[in-house]
Amino acid sequence: QVQLVESGGGLVQPGGSLRLSCAASGSIFSIVPMGWYRQAPGKQRELVATITRSGRTKYADSVKGRFTISRDNAKNTVYLQMNSLKPEDTAVYYCNADAIVVTGNNYWGQGTQVTVSS
C-alpha cells in the first residue's frame, strides 16, 4: 500500500511560483506512475501532470510550459514546480500514485491548497 502526503501549497500572487512536494510511503512507489491532479471549487478533479518510473512526463495543455513534474525515487518524493501562476491555477492539488496494475488501487494524498490571487 501507498500513503501520500502533499505539502508546499499556499497563497501566491499571479506570476509567482510554488513548489509542491509529495512524500510517499510504500514499496511500490519507485515503480508506479505518479501524478498531480487539481480540483478547483465547483469543478471536477483534473489531471495536471504525470511522470513514469523512468521520468517520462506528460502535462495538461493548461500548464504546459509553466509546470514541471519530477520525482526522486531514492527519496520517495514527487514534485510539482509551478511557475507563472495564474488565478485559474487556484485549486486543491492532489498527489496520485497509479498503482492499479500492481495492487488494483489508485492512491491519493489529502491535498494541498494553492491560491493565486492579488
Side-chain angles (χ1 to χ4, degrees):
Q1 294 185 325
V2 175
Q3 183 173 347
L4 307 173
V5 180
E6 302 96 335
S7 63
L11 175 64
V12 65
Q13 296 183 37
S17 298
L18 285 173
R19 189 178 78 156
L20 306 183
S21 297
C22 173
S25 62
S27 61
I28 66 170
F29 169 77
S30 63
I31 65 172
V32 304
M34 302 291 294
W36 286 96
Y37 292 70
R38 66 187 182 188
Q39 188 166 21
K43 296 184 178 180
Q44 294 183 329
R45 188 172 298 185
E46 64 177 351
L47 175 68
V48 176
T50 60
I51 184 167
T52 68
R53 174 186 182 182
S54 62
R56 187 165 59 255
T57 60
K58 293 183 179 179
Y59 298 91
D61 288 341
S62 60
V63 307
K64 196 172 300 181
R66 300 188 297 120
F67 291 10
T68 302
I69 188 172
S70 61
R71 68 191 296 168
D72 186 338
N73 291 340
K75 296 181 178 180
N76 282 4
T77 303
V78 62
Y79 304 95
L80 184 68
Q81 177 67 46
M82 304 184 295
N83 298 325
S84 301
L85 283 162
K86 305 175 180 179
E88 52 262 45
D89 295 319
T90 296
V92 177
Y93 284 71
Y94 297 91
C95 182
N96 166 257
D98 182 8
I100 294 177
V101 174
V102 180
T103 71
N105 292 314
N106 203 26
Y107 297 93
W108 298 91
Q110 293 299 305
T112 185
Q113 176 71 48
V114 172
T115 302
V116 185
S117 176
S118 298

